[in-house]
Amino acid sequence: MPGAFDSDKNSQRAGAMPGDPGHLKSKNSDKDFEFNVTSYVSHGKTEGSGLSGAVFNLATTVIGAGIMALPATMKVMGIILGTILIIVMGIVAEVSIELLVRYFVETNATTYGEVVQHALGKQAKIFSEICIILNNAGVLVVYLIILGDVMSGSLHHSGLFDQWWGHGFWDHRKVLILLVLIVFLAPLCSLDRIDSLTLTSAASVVLAVIFIVVAFIVAFIRLLNGTLNAPRWTPDLSSTKAIMDLLVVIPIMTNAYVSHFNVPTIYNELEGKSPEKMNHVGRISTVLCIFLYASTATSGYLLFGEDTESDVLTNFDKDLGVPYSTALNYFVRISYLVHLILVFPVIHFSLRQTVDTLLFEGAPPLTESRQRCLALTGALLFILYLGSTTIPNIWTAFKFTGATTAVSLGFTFPSLVALRLSKQGTSLSATERVMCWSMLTFAILVSIVGVIGNTYQQNTQ
């Protein structure tokens, strides 16, 4: 590949970069590297994730707890603006992923942080890894908060255990979350290869689709029955508070599409990998996520209107106004709990990998050190558990990660990487250069506006 960069994988692992980004390698050696790195051979056959497995892993990274906050953002933005932003944000996120893929292949990087280091230096790499850690930890804490909300209830809503057996030690929030961590999450998180999660990722996407189908059918039945309240089509701009609410939900929507930190890992474990094949994976995943996001946001908001909670899953504890409402409520909440349990390990994988890279630079990969892998997994799960018991709700977590770490990982770093490395490697077209500068400007504005809006809301509460 013309203009590709030379790099030794072992020296990267030890933190030694191959020199300046202008250090080039031959076209043939780059092509050989492209199809050989991270191949695993067993019984004479190359193992890896197929196209469908890569799509499921990438889509699972995107579709998680963020989908539960989208109906509340639709309540603020209105259906028209909310739907437009869901589509636009998905397209822009896909463009940034394709740019990231191009340049981490050219630099022979194996992680998100390594391609950032090639473009912007060691300090930028460390900062990007800190962003990944904070972002992923925040997302995983949100997962645990939702698990607690659904199982034991929240301030205004009943949990599954409350409805089944009433109040008692069995519905204690902290105990339930801890049991889920130990029994279900710890075994899945202890796996050391992301392609080991292909089947669970596929199941999680199916469960997300089931949730959306049920919500959409219920909303459609109520529409036919004339029991749906008139939705808000455009945002409310009548007061300072309403405007600030609008500014705050934009970073939340930005957060919904950030999956860039897992892209290098998914690419490296992709069977017969090439940038074109990975771009195909990204486009399929993006179309799938746009459809699921728009469907969830619209149907969730139509169902609950102005009563839509920041975690719409908690709304499914009351009569839906359709036959078999109680059974549907249980089905929706239980199926999405299983979805979150299956998504959790995919996000945790990149969190653990990044923490390992940051703390144990130069050590063998986690796949070669089972003891370190298990120790890191246990320590991270314990920290995430503590976070889930102190952060009040998912809205609080998403507001701040969306305005800071998520926008940096999804738009700021990919834009800067492409603009910097295009001077030494494959150049950007005029359209791509305009897209990079537009994404960078957008990221800066979202960060500034989001932080100001969050600060204002905190001070007025």
Side-chain angles (χ1 to χ4, degrees):
M1 189 177 297
F5 304 104
D6 191 14
S7 176
D8 179 76
K9 190 175 181 181
N10 293 328
S11 65
Q12 283 183 351
R13 184 66 195 172
M17 291 293 107
D20 295 328
H23 189 65
L24 304 179
K25 64 181 284 186
S26 71
K27 179 176 180 179
N28 290 335
S29 61
D30 182 53
K31 185 175 181 180
D32 291 339
F33 177 90
E34 187 174 301
F35 290 92
N36 285 328
V37 173
T38 65
S39 292
Y40 289 80
V41 179
S42 177
H43 304 294
K45 294 183 181 180
T46 301
E47 296 181 355
S49 176
L51 181 67
S52 59
V55 168
F56 282 129
N57 280 331
L58 185 59
T60 300
T61 306
V62 180
I63 304 168
I67 200 172
M68 293 294 101
L70 290 180
T73 66
M74 194 71 82
K75 177 178 70 173
V76 176
M77 291 183 173
I79 290 180
I80 295 176
L81 179 60
T83 303
I84 291 173
L85 281 178
I86 286 174
I87 296 172
V88 171
M89 292 297 298
I91 294 172
V92 174
E94 165 56 19
V95 170
S96 67
I97 286 176
E98 292 194 12
L99 290 172
L100 188 65
V101 169
R102 178 190 303 178
Y103 290 106
F104 83 66
V105 170
E106 286 199 4
T107 58
N108 294 345
T110 58
T111 66
Y112 187 101
E114 284 183 8
V115 70
V116 171
Q117 180 169 353
H118 276 285
L120 305 171
K122 184 65 176 289
Q123 291 182 336
K125 172 181 180 287
I126 294 174
F127 181 67
S128 71
E129 290 173 342
I130 292 173
C131 285
I132 293 174
I133 292 170
L134 293 176
N135 182 79
N136 289 20
V139 169
L140 294 180
V141 165
V142 165
Y143 288 7
L144 296 180
I145 291 173
I146 293 178
L147 290 170
D149 286 344
V150 175
M151 290 187 296
S152 67
S154 58
L155 184 61
H156 302 294
H157 296 275
S158 300
L160 287 170
F161 284 59
D162 291 340
Q163 293 178 316
W164 288 342
W165 301 304
H167 292 292
F169 69 89
W170 52 81
D171 73 335
H172 193 283
R173 182 188 187 90
K174 295 180 181 179
V175 173
L176 288 174
I177 294 175
L178 183 60
L179 286 175
V180 170
L181 270 176
I182 294 173
V183 176
F184 298 108
L185 297 179
L188 290 173
C189 290
S190 64
L191 298 174
D192 56 11
R193 280 177 55 81
I194 199 168
D195 65 359
S196 302
L197 300 169
T198 296
L199 292 179
T200 59
S201 294
S204 72
V205 173
V206 171
L207 289 171
V209 172
I210 291 174
F211 165 79
I212 293 165
V213 169
V214 171
F216 215 86
I217 290 174
V218 173
F220 183 71
I221 292 174
R222 289 185 55 182
L223 177 64
L224 294 179
N225 294 337
T227 57
L228 280 181
N229 294 324
R232 175 180 293 159
W233 294 97
T234 56
D236 179 13
L237 303 176
S238 60
S239 66
T240 302
K241 181 181 183 302
I243 294 174
M244 286 299 174
D245 287 342
L246 179 63
L247 296 179
V248 165
V249 300
I250 294 175
I252 292 174
M253 192 166 287
T254 302
N255 198 26
Y257 281 104
V258 175
S259 59
H260 302 61
F261 47 82
N262 257 354
V263 170
T265 303
I266 293 172
Y267 175 83
N268 287 331
E269 296 186 6
L270 181 63
E271 185 178 9
K273 59 181 177 289
S274 68
E276 292 76 17
K277 189 172 183 178
M278 188 64 204
N279 290 342
H280 191 47
V281 169
R283 290 165 191 167
I284 295 174
S285 301
T286 299
V287 171
L288 176 63
C289 292
I290 287 175
F291 171 74
L292 296 180
Y293 277 177
S295 301
T296 303
T298 303
S299 59
Y301 172 50
L302 289 176
L303 276 179
F304 305 111
E306 295 303 309
D307 294 326
T308 305
E309 297 283 353
S310 58
D311 172 12
V312 73
L313 209 57
T314 61
N315 283 109
F316 286 88
D317 69 332
K318 295 181 175 62
D319 186 7
L320 297 175
V322 297
Y324 309 106
S325 175
T326 301
L328 285 173
N329 276 331
Y330 289 148
F331 176 76
V332 164
R333 286 184 289 174
I334 292 173
S335 63
Y336 211 81
L337 284 183
V338 177
H339 164 79
L340 290 179
I341 290 173
L342 297 179
V343 172
F344 192 100
V346 179
I347 309 298
H348 177 271
F349 184 93
S350 59
L351 172 64
R352 183 183 62 198
Q353 182 186 54
T354 306
V355 171
D356 180 64
T357 301
L358 194 62
L359 297 183
F360 302 101
E361 188 173 8
L366 284 175
T367 52
E368 299 176 11
S369 179
R370 187 63 179 162
Q371 185 175 4
R372 194 170 85 251
C373 178
L374 293 176
L376 270 179
T377 299
L380 289 173
L381 290 179
F382 176 72
I383 294 171
L384 295 171
Y385 172 73
L386 293 180
S388 70
T389 62
T390 55
I391 296 176
N393 55 59
I394 70 172
W395 202 251
T396 301
F398 275 140
K399 284 191 303 184
F400 286 99
T401 58
T404 53
T405 57
V407 76
S408 297
L409 295 172
F411 304 101
T412 305
F413 282 120
S415 300
L416 291 174
V417 165
L419 289 169
R420 178 64 65 86
L421 293 183
S422 65
K423 298 177 181 179
Q424 288 85 26
T426 303
S427 61
L428 297 171
S429 66
T431 301
E432 289 172 335
R433 191 168 294 276
V434 169
M435 283 294 297
C436 285
W437 282 111
S438 299
M439 283 192 294
L440 191 57
T441 303
F442 169 78
I444 294 171
L445 289 176
V446 168
S447 294
I448 294 173
V449 168
V451 171
I452 292 174
N454 290 332
T455 304
Y456 174 83
Q457 280 193 342
Q458 293 295 317
N459 292 333
T460 54
Q461 287 179 352

